[in-house]
Amino acid sequence: MRIPRIFVDQPLNIDQDLLITGSAANHIARVLRMGPGRPLKLFNGQPNASHQYGFVEAEVTQADKKTVTVRVKHSVMTQLESPLDIQLGQAISKGDRMDFTIQKAVELGVTQITPLWTEHCDVKLNAERLDKKMQHWQQIAISACEQSGRDRVPQILPAEKLSTWLASSQQDVRWVLDPRGQSAASVTTQPKSASILVGPEGGLSDAEVSLAAQHRYEAKLIGPRILRTETAALTAITLMQSMWGDF
């Protein structure tokens, strides 16, 4: 039987009881209907002193509608993170496309995602709605980690203007996806970090592609067909992981 994996934003101390509340408790007690004696895997997305990620095995000792108490038994270190640190700059897209991109990008191994405002971005969000979106996107990342087995939760950074994000780029390899770019191909040296810039449904403007080039972004074509924004991001991540990561 598959043992559920649950994210908890708390310290996980061995041989101690842990009180779980909120949505995690609701999921354990009411959705999974887990009672005393049932095993769980818990993770908090934080590395240990040796910068290793992992989870703890625990057992439910008490459960009601609002709280769950578990006994933390022992920790298990995992090796599920790619050697390639991939950061995704994704123009904010409409509807559930952004949700889908974040979910699948986390499953594929990205370490950081920044929602971007670009010239052709049609999404309009005031400060309050954007704040709710950011919380929603971070929860999607957490859920994707629970499902995929990752113990490191990628950061969903605050939304930025494209120019601001480009100015902070320091990765070894930098791609801007552009149908007029050169075919993506491997390089001789093994990069430790990479950055991918993906435009919105309407694409990046010529000025934005030129600005990216000024910040050492290479225009890359990742296939003979025009891809949707969410498909393009996931294809680029997969290519990088297959060339330099853990695929």
Side-chain angles (χ1 to χ4, degrees), residues 150-172:
R150 289 188 70 180
D151 297 306
R152 178 182 180 180
V153 180
Q155 289 181 292
I156 310 299
L157 296 180
E160 289 187 330
K161 292 182 179 180
L162 175 59
S163 58
T164 304
W165 182 77
L166 287 172
S168 65
S169 296
Q170 296 181 343
Q171 292 74 30
D172 298 334

Side-chain angles (χ1 to χ4, degrees), residues 172-213:
D172 298 334
V173 173
R174 306 173 198 177
W175 287 1
V176 51
L177 304 190
D178 184 359
R180 298 159 298 182
Q182 298 295 313
S183 177
S186 182
V187 296
T188 54
T189 57
Q190 171 69 41
K192 294 183 178 179
S193 61
S195 179
I196 303 170
L197 169 58
V198 184
E201 290 89 340
L204 296 167
S205 69
D206 291 345
E208 288 172 329
V209 174
S210 296
L211 180 62

Side-chain angles (χ1 to χ4, degrees), residues 105-144:
V106 171
E107 292 177 17
L108 290 171
V110 298
T111 54
Q112 193 177 92
I113 301 172
T114 305
L116 297 175
W117 299 112
T118 64
E119 186 176 330
H120 295 157
C121 179
D122 291 333
V123 179
K124 307 297 181 184
L125 298 171
N126 59 29
E128 182 180 356
R129 288 184 62 202
L130 178 59
D131 183 62
K132 290 181 179 179
K133 278 288 187 183
M134 295 301 304
Q135 295 178 44
H136 172 69
W137 291 331
Q138 188 65 68
Q139 186 56 52
I140 287 176
I142 290 171
S143 297

